[in-house]
């Protein structure tokens, strides 16, 4: 298989939640039956290797960064290549009488991680019953994929969830990159991965942008531009759907939350400015409708109910739910395990364009299509699951469609239908579900879309009718999205096991295994409005009042330049722009 390799970089705890779901989805969907060759070129994001025991391994081409204490039971070097010895097995050269041993806090593997180590249970974990809503406190709790030893990189200087020394401000991350120990080690690992590639094409960068990881990522991307400037860099800043400090009870806590919100706002503005400077394309992701200041109400998806106060089975639309014991539905999603799965679903789907075996499309082509005229920011959308009825067809589904085709997953941004450039991917609908056979078509034969001979042709036609002066690039993948464990159980009971909308509810104990998905990347005037909103909110903040920034050299003039850059970027999205 020809190269086209991509190296993925993940910075921050929430980005690692999203990334964990993304890698899990891919690995659960691997085809091991040679009679059914995969449409997807997995070599784009994965690498083949050999363990010290001579076993062939297939691991993500990935470097991730997180803080000390974020891994729980996962060893930093992983578990695929070697087993860490128990402390009792380690021989110490010192006189034992002169050494005092103090055991640190120990973590116990949850049932899912324990079952992954049991050969007899490994094959059945996708159908077992696990309480991930309760157990998935960090991303490694639901990690199915196994990593290469160089993948995980832990920042020892900062502790995860430590309020005394928070890693919360953009300059802290920028300063961390400048330390020789971090920069040299991380740069060497990047180079090692790239030297293994035959046709390396660029980078995926998945990063937190509301804390200091924005600064760390910005410095790393500057390094990528300096050393690999001709390669494409597609960056996805992710914003959590919930921040614990927003749940204040007193006036003092409310004031503190407002201050922390302002710090996050500064981080987002500084990050977006640097990311656009050093990337080919920037795609912000969040299921929160607002994103900055506070995440806002969650984005709603047809036949999906996510993030309950308690683990229950989805049965109806959100507004119809009555929960036991007087509990209420969470308006603001609190479980990163849920919200990150939705973002990972979109990532896995819209990235198909340059990951298919049959496609000659590259990461650079996607960026060139969407960043014309200096439009270096795009919005993302998702339709999960695509509501194809059991026994129905795509023509019937689209002909009866009401409302927008897409739901935005970019904060403060809607998906427009006028003068837009967009790449759309639809997966999980077989060609035989395109339309009714001629002898059964009846009124369908009178529709212009009945003349379409493929899923791609019909979706392209639908987009041309519903979007004015819009250029649409459509990708179709036959394989549906695999949503078995450890994907969260967020689908309504009227979604059948195969992902289709059914007239009947699923029986107890039967979970959804695969679903059709529609996702896209879009650039239009609505993205400019998002940037204008970011500029307006950030301008309200006096950066000199925040010592975390002023003490590290970010002065008023620096922040004014950042704001000017954001406003200039916003002007590229005026309606006068011609596609």
């Amino acid at each position: 298989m020809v190269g086209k390799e991509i190296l993925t970089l993940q910075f921050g705890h929430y980005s690692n939640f999203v990334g964990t779901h993304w890698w899990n989805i891919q690995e659960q969907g691997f085809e091991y039956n040679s009679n059914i060759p995969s449409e997807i070129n997995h070599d784009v994001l994965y690498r083949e290797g050999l363990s010290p025991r001579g076993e062939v391994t297939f691991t993500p081409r990935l470097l991730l960064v997180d803080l000390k204490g974020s891994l729980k039971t996962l060893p930093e070097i992983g578990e695929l290549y070697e087993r860490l010895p128990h402390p009792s097995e380690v021989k110490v050269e010192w006189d034992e009488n002169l050494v005092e041993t103090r055991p640190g806090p120990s973590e116990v593997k949850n049932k899912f991680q324990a079952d992954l180590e049991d050969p007899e249970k490994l094959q059945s974990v996708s159908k077992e019953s696990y309480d991930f809503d309760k157990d998935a406190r960090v991303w490694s709790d639901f990690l199915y994929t196994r990593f290469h030893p160089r993948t995980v990189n832990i920042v020892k200087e900062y502790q995860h969830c430590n309020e005394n020394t928070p890693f919360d401000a953009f300059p802290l991350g920028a300063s961390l990159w400048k330390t020789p120990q971090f920069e040299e080690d991380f740069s060497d690992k990047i180079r090692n991965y790239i030297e293994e590639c035959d046709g390396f094409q660029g980078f995926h960068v998945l990063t937190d942008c509301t804390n200091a990881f924005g600064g760390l990522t910005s410095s790393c991307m500057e390094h990528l531009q300096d050393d690999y400037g001709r390669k494409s860099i597609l960056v996805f800043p992710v914003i959590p759907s919930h921040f614990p400090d927003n749940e204040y009870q007193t006036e003092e806590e409310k004031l503190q939350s407002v201050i922390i919100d302002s710090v996050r706002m500064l981080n987002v503005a500084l990050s977006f400015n640097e990311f656009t400077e050093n990337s080919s394309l920037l795609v912000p992701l969040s299921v929160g409708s607002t994103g900055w200041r506070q995440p806002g109400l969650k984005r709603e998806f047809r036949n999906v109910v996510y993030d309950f106060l308690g683990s229950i089975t989805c049965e109806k639309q959100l507004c119809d739910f009555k929960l036991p014991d007087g509990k209420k539905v969470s308006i603001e999603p609190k479980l990163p395990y849920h919200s990150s799965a939705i973002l990972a679903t979109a990532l896995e789907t819209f990235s198909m364009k340059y990951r298919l075996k049959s496609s000659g499309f590259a990461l650079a082509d996607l960026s060139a299509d969407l960043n014309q005229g200096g439009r270096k920011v795009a919005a993302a959308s998702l339709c999960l699951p695509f509501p194809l009825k059991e026994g129905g067809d795509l023509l019937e589904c689209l002909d009866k469609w009401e409302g927008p085709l897409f739901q935005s997953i970019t904060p403060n941004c809607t998906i427009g239908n006028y003068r837009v450039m967009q790449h759309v991917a639809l997966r999980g609908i077989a060609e035989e579900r395109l339309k009714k056979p001629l002898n059964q078509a009846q009124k369908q034969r009178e529709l212009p879309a009945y003349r379409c001979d493929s899923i791609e042709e019909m979706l392209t036609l639908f987009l041309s009718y519903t979007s004015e002066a819009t250029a649409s690039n459509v990708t179709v993948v036959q394989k549906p999205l695999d949503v078995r464990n450890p994907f969260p159980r967020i689908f309504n009971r009227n979604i059948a096991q195969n992902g289709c909308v059914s007239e009947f509810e699923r029986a107890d104990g039967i979970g959804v295994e695969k679903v059709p998905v529609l996702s896209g990347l879009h650039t239009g005037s609505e993205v400019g409005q998002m940037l204008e909103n970011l500029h307006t909110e950030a301008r309200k903040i006096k950066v000199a009042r925040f010592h975390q920034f002023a003490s590290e050299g970010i002065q008023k003039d620096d922040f004014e330049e950042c704001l000017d850059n954001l406003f200039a970027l916003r002007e590229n999205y005026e309606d006068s722009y011609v596609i």
Side-chain angles (χ1 to χ4, degrees), residues 305-363:
V305 182
Y306 60 105
D307 204 356
F308 281 97
L309 299 179
S311 178
I312 68 170
T313 304
C314 303
E315 296 178 354
K316 299 181 182 179
Q317 288 293 346
L318 179 65
C319 58
D320 295 331
F321 269 91
K322 295 180 181 179
L323 305 187
D325 304 323
K327 293 180 179 179
K328 297 180 180 179
V329 174
S330 173
I331 296 176
E332 184 180 283
K334 297 182 179 181
L335 295 180
Y337 166 66
H338 280 198
S339 60
S340 59
I342 291 172
L343 301 184
T345 296
L347 273 170
E348 170 63 7
T349 303
F350 63 60
S351 64
M352 282 293 167
K353 182 66 180 180
Y354 49 89
R355 293 169 49 211
L356 295 177
K357 292 178 179 177
S358 60
S359 174
F361 210 78
L363 199 58

Side-chain angles (χ1 to χ4, degrees), residues 394 431 434-435 448-464 474 476:
L394 180 62
E431 290 291 344
L434 176 66
K435 56 187 178 183
Y450 193 78
R451 294 191 289 270
C452 295
D453 295 322
S454 67
I455 302 288
E456 179 180 345
E457 185 181 359
M458 185 173 291
L459 183 55
T460 301
L461 179 64
F462 179 83
L463 292 172
S464 70
V474 173
V476 172

Side-chain angles (χ1 to χ4, degrees), residues 26 42 102 126 164 185 208 227 245-246 248 254 256 319 326 328 359 371 401 404 441 531 560:
Q26 291 181 67
H42 293 293
R102 295 181 179 179
S126 63
N164 296 322
D185 181 61
D208 293 6
D227 285 22
D245 62 85
N246 290 155
Y248 46 78
K254 179 180 179 180
Q256 184 63 24
C319 58
K328 297 180 180 179
S359 174
N371 67 13
W401 196 281
L531 293 169
E560 286 293 329

Side-chain angles (χ1 to χ4, degrees), residues 10-293:
Q10 293 171 194
F11 296 91
H13 201 63
Y14 189 64
S15 75
N16 288 325
F17 262 90
V18 178
T20 297
H21 276 301
W22 191 13
W23 301 112
N24 287 347
I25 290 169
Q26 291 181 67
E27 200 142 325
Q28 289 280 42
F30 281 174
E31 295 286 357
Y32 297 100
N33 186 344
S34 59
N35 296 324
I36 310 175
S38 174
E39 302 166 84
I40 304 168
N41 179 7
H42 293 293
D43 292 329
V44 173
L45 297 180
Y46 277 72
R47 65 179 293 280
E48 186 175 308
L50 285 175
S51 72
R53 297 181 294 275
E55 300 168 334
V56 177
T57 61
F58 200 54
T59 55
R61 189 176 296 103
L62 167 68
L63 292 173
L64 67 84
V65 185
D66 215 325
L67 304 183
K68 183 179 179 182
S70 62
L71 296 182
K72 286 186 64 178
T73 60
L74 178 68
E76 187 172 346
I77 61 171
E79 301 172 311
L80 186 62
Y81 278 59
E82 59 182 295
R83 182 183 69 86
L84 285 177
H86 189 273
S88 62
E89 301 173 353
V90 178
K91 293 184 178 180
V92 181
E93 302 297 332
W94 306 307
D95 187 342
E96 294 184 359
N97 296 322
L98 301 177
V99 177
E100 180 183 359
T101 303
R102 295 181 179 179
S106 60
E107 294 281 359
V108 178
K109 289 190 175 183
N110 60 34
K111 185 177 185 299
F112 175 69
Q113 290 296 337
D115 286 353
L116 290 179
E117 291 186 339
D118 188 337
E120 296 182 0
K121 296 182 179 180
L122 181 60
Q123 300 302 318
S124 63
V125 292
S126 63
K127 296 185 178 182
E128 284 288 326
S129 177
Y130 300 102
D131 192 0
F132 289 110
D133 289 2
K134 177 182 177 182
D135 292 339
R137 291 179 292 163
V138 298
W139 52 267
S140 58
D141 284 330
F142 62 97
L143 177 66
Y144 178 83
T145 305
R146 289 301 175 249
F147 291 148
H148 187 276
R150 74 166 74 108
T151 288
V152 179
N153 299 269
I154 296 301
V155 177
K156 304 293 197 303
E157 293 87 341
Y158 294 91
Q159 184 82 20
H160 177 60
C161 289
N162 189 322
E163 296 181 357
N164 296 322
T165 56
F167 194 57
D168 63 344
F170 183 96
L172 296 177
S175 297
L176 175 65
W177 175 266
K178 295 175 183 177
T179 58
Q181 183 177 2
F182 189 95
E183 181 179 7
E184 292 178 10
D185 181 61
F186 202 77
S187 299
D188 286 345
K189 290 180 177 180
I190 291 173
R191 186 178 64 254
N192 290 337
Y193 268 128
I194 293 176
E195 288 176 349
E196 298 172 349
C197 300
D198 296 324
F200 181 73
Q201 61 170 317
F203 302 87
H204 284 152
V205 181
L206 190 60
T207 177
D208 293 6
C209 63
T210 59
N211 52 36
F213 280 107
L216 180 62
T217 305
S218 297
S219 296
C220 179
M221 288 174 61
E222 187 175 347
H223 164 76
L224 299 182
Q225 277 287 7
D226 291 341
D227 285 22
Y228 313 99
R230 301 183 66 179
K231 303 301 181 182
S232 298
I233 303 175
L234 183 53
V235 58
F236 304 100
V238 294
I239 300 176
S241 58
H242 173 72
F243 296 106
D245 62 85
N246 290 155
E247 293 187 318
Y248 46 78
Q249 302 293 328
T250 66
E251 285 299 317
E252 182 179 354
E253 290 176 347
K254 179 180 179 180
L255 177 61
Q256 184 63 24
S257 179
V258 171
I259 294 173
I260 296 174
D261 275 339
S262 296
V263 171
R264 284 194 286 260
M265 188 76 248
L266 290 170
N267 290 331
V268 172
L270 291 167
S271 296
F272 276 36
N273 176 52
E274 293 295 329
F275 293 167
T276 53
E277 178 70 24
N278 294 305
S279 70
S280 308
L281 190 67
L282 169 72
V283 184
L285 301 175
S286 177
V287 298
S289 57
T290 306
W292 34 83
R293 275 297 175 190

